[in-house]
Amino acid sequence: NRLESIMIDNLCFFSCTCQTPYPYISSTSVEPSSVQAGQPFWIGVNYTFIGWPPFTVGVAIANYSLSTSFDLRINQNNFYQIEAFFGPFVIESPGVYNYTAWGTEVKPVSGNVTVLGGAPAQPQNGILNVAVLNGLNGSLLPARITVSTPDGLALIYSDSSTLSAQLAPGQYVVKVQAFGYTWASNATVYPGQPTNLTIVIPLAEVSVEALDSALGAPGAWDVAIYGPDGAVVAQGVGVVKAQLLSKFPNGTYVPYRAVARTPFGDYERQFYASAAQVVIRVPTVPVALSVVDRASGSIAPWNVTIYGPRGAIASGVGQLYLRLVPGTYAAVVRAVLNGVAYNYSAQLAVAGASPLQIVVPTTMLSIYVEHEGAGEPAIEVLYGGRPIYSGVGARADVEVMSGLSYVVVASYGGVSNATVVTPSSPHQTVVIKLVATQTTTTTQTTTITATWTTTTTTTTTQTTTTTTTISPPPQSTTSSTSQVPGSTTTTTWPTEASVILLIVVAVVIIILLLLAGRKH
């Protein structure tokens, strides 16, 4: 409050003067005279009174009401005037506003204030709520949510399924990033109101199965699902189930590629996530595989390993039941004969569900010794310089591997003879004659008259195998045909083997010398 002036006449009059008995408001004013919206202003009141006891003066405008009290205790026989200013008042909106000035024992006085347009009032914020949903089941879906201005200025983001933010009224752009792609939507925020925005990501439930055709069920093979960018989006064994993005943000379907990695190679299928079930069919067929000893014609208890393009597929002993994709496979059989292990390689041509055999080219050597005397001769068979068979008798049956060279030695009564045999047929007869002769010296000599025959059998049914260099899986191959025993024919030594014969004679002489030295 401000008291501008009080006019007091210190003179004391004893004469009687006629005066108005009641106070009154003589005038009001507004400062500043030009009022702007949002700016402060004051209202002044001029109050005239007689020096009575305490009194009150006030002003009311809009939602404001201010007043003040006075207790001047001055001479009651004179008039006095005060000017009181009330405020500050602040009105935000432009317009004409009425006010009322009042006081004790006076009639109220009205006036008005014109508030001109000024700084606009700050608008009230609104609330933006964003939720990202799984289009498959309506559940919340983790994603990155970003709220930006229309010109691209990012204001707030959330790495969650939801976002809630207080924002000034206006237009905003909401972007959602999920599965490597971005969805965008416009949102309008209103003062003091919530704006709810839901963005649904289109997903689909897909099951991918690698079907083993021969088994009629999923095979135990690795299965992977690749997205359009080549990245793995799901993987498993046999069957893979996954929720996949079904459509791009522009509404087109998303292509996928499913791959089953098998011992026979990769099998794949392309599909869209709109398909609920995807089957990768691996065209296997049932195969019964037997390892046959050619010399005996029976299934042999030998280990066999089957190799595909990615290495070993299966292994077993004697007879195997397999599921293979039609094609060519390598097989390695570990045949054990007379304590010697041989690795025999073959190729298997699988065309359908039919039995297959691997016929190992063995030979049964029937060794006969012709000698003079009633005793039993000794027979020894060597391979690679090491004995694989030793026995006593005029006859011995020894199973060996065809195509390899063996030395057969017979001895009796100080007489020895040897021959080199390279068998090729299932059965082969070797005859060794031991003939002792005397000379004029005490040195005993031996006449070498070794002979041998080769028996070849034929039959109406043949099984073709392929022999390869042993280095699993085999690389280079040489073909040979195995046959089942049948009729017998006799062949002679080839005329072009004269050089070989000389080598054989030399080997025999060395062996005889070694045997003679052993006896001495």
Side-chain angles (χ1 to χ4, degrees):
N1 300 317
R2 189 174 72 192
L3 181 62
E4 290 291 335
S5 64
I6 296 178
M7 300 177 62
I8 301 176
D9 189 349
N10 293 320
L11 299 178
C12 180
F13 297 94
F14 294 93
S15 60
C16 181
T17 305
C18 294
Q19 300 289 342
T20 302
Y22 299 104
Y24 62 94
I25 295 176
S26 57
S27 65
T28 60
S29 62
V30 177
E31 292 187 8
S33 59
S34 178
V35 178
Q36 299 292 326
Q39 301 298 320
F41 64 93
W42 289 261
I43 297 177
V45 178
N46 288 315
Y47 179 79
T48 302
F49 65 98
I50 301 175
W52 285 2
F55 60 91
T56 300
V57 178
V59 172
I61 185 172
N63 294 325
Y64 298 99
S65 180
L66 299 177
S67 63
T68 186
S69 297
F70 296 90
D71 187 4
L72 300 180
R73 297 186 183 279
I74 55 178
N75 191 331
Q76 297 183 4
N77 293 319
N78 294 308
F79 277 93
Y80 304 96
Q81 186 180 68
I82 63 170
E83 187 175 14
F85 282 85
F86 298 90
F89 302 103
V90 177
I91 297 178
E92 299 291 347
S93 301
V96 176
Y97 295 85
N98 293 325
Y99 66 85
T100 300
W102 55 271
T104 303
E105 298 290 336
V106 299
K107 180 180 179 180
V109 175
S110 298
N112 57 69
V113 176
T114 301
V115 179
L116 304 177
Q122 294 297 321
Q124 186 178 5
N125 287 341
I127 299 177
L128 176 61
N129 299 313
V130 181
V132 181
L133 300 183
N134 182 332
L136 185 64
N137 53 28
S139 62
L140 290 174
L141 187 70
R144 163 162 281 211
I145 306 172
T146 304
V147 179
S148 305
T149 60
D151 58 0
L153 177 62
L155 301 177
I156 190 172
Y157 72 90
S158 170
D159 286 324
S160 180
S161 304
T162 60
L163 179 147
S164 182
Q166 291 190 3
L167 297 172
Q171 295 289 327
Y172 295 91
V173 177
V174 179
K175 293 182 178 180
V176 171
Q177 291 176 298
F179 296 94
Y181 300 95
T182 301
W183 285 258
S185 180
N186 296 323
T188 301
V189 175
Y190 299 95
Q193 299 182 18
T195 299
N196 299 319
L197 177 64
T198 300
I199 296 180
V200 179
I201 307 300
L203 300 183
E205 183 81 34
V206 177
S207 174
V208 177
E209 172 185 316
L211 178 64
D212 185 334
S213 297
L215 184 63
W221 304 312
D222 291 336
V223 179
I225 301 175
Y226 295 86
D229 59 352
V232 175
V233 296
Q235 57 186 342
V237 177
V239 178
V240 177
K241 294 183 179 181
Q243 291 185 2
L244 303 178
L245 180 67
S246 61
K247 293 182 179 180
F248 290 115
N250 62 7
T252 60
Y253 285 99
V254 180
Y256 291 91
R257 184 170 61 97
V259 178
R261 185 176 178 85
T262 76
F264 320 109
D266 289 346
Y267 292 81
E268 69 175 64
R269 182 175 175 183
Q270 294 184 349
F271 66 96
Y272 293 102
S274 56
Q277 186 171 14
V278 179
V279 177
I280 305 173
R281 191 175 300 276
V282 182
T284 56
V285 294
V287 175
L289 177 64
S290 301
V291 178
V292 176
D293 181 343
R294 185 181 69 169
S296 66
S298 61
I299 296 176
W302 294 330
N303 290 323
V304 58
T305 303
I306 310 301
Y307 293 90
R310 289 198 167 114
I313 295 177
S315 62
V317 177
Q319 194 168 27
L320 286 73
Y321 296 93
L322 310 171
R323 298 188 305 276
L324 301 176
V325 171
T328 301
Y329 299 85
V332 176
V333 178
R334 184 175 176 83
V336 179
L337 299 171
N338 300 299
V340 179
Y342 304 88
N343 285 337
Y344 172 72
S345 298
Q347 281 190 343
L348 297 177
V350 178
S354 59
L356 293 178
Q357 288 185 345
I358 300 175
V359 180
V360 181
T362 56
T363 297
M364 183 63 73
L365 290 179
S366 295
I367 305 172
Y368 296 90
V369 180
E370 295 181 359
H371 66 289
E372 297 176 353
E376 296 289 340
I379 300 176
E380 190 172 38
V381 180
L382 298 98
Y383 173 68
R386 295 179 299 172
I388 63 171
Y389 173 82
S390 296
V392 176
R395 178 181 175 179
D397 291 325
V398 181
E399 188 173 9
V400 296
M401 187 67 67
S402 301
L404 302 178
S405 295
Y406 299 85
V407 176
V408 180
V409 181
S411 60
Y412 176 77
V415 179
S416 297
N417 198 1
T419 185
V420 176
V421 181
T422 305
S424 60
S425 59
H427 292 85
Q428 184 163 317
T429 300
V430 179
V431 179
I432 300 179
K433 294 182 179 181
L434 298 178
V435 179
T437 58
Q438 298 292 329
T439 63
T440 55
T441 66
T442 58
T443 303
Q444 179 175 285
T445 62
T446 301
T447 303
I448 301 174
T449 58
T451 62
W452 57 276
T453 61
T454 301
T455 60
T456 304
T457 62
T458 59
T459 183
T460 58
T461 303
Q462 295 183 345
T463 303
T464 302
T465 61
T466 302
T467 305
T468 70
T469 303
I470 305 301
S471 179
Q475 302 297 324
S476 61
T477 61
T478 304
S479 297
S480 63
T481 302
S482 58
Q483 300 168 324
V484 180
S487 59
T488 303
T489 61
T490 304
T491 62
T492 60
W493 193 282
T495 58
E496 65 270 22
S498 58
V499 177
I500 298 176
L501 180 58
L502 292 175
I503 296 174
V504 170
V505 172
V507 171
V508 170
I509 293 174
I510 293 173
I511 292 174
L512 293 176
L513 291 175
L514 291 174
L515 292 174
R518 187 182 303 175
K519 290 182 175 58
H520 290 297

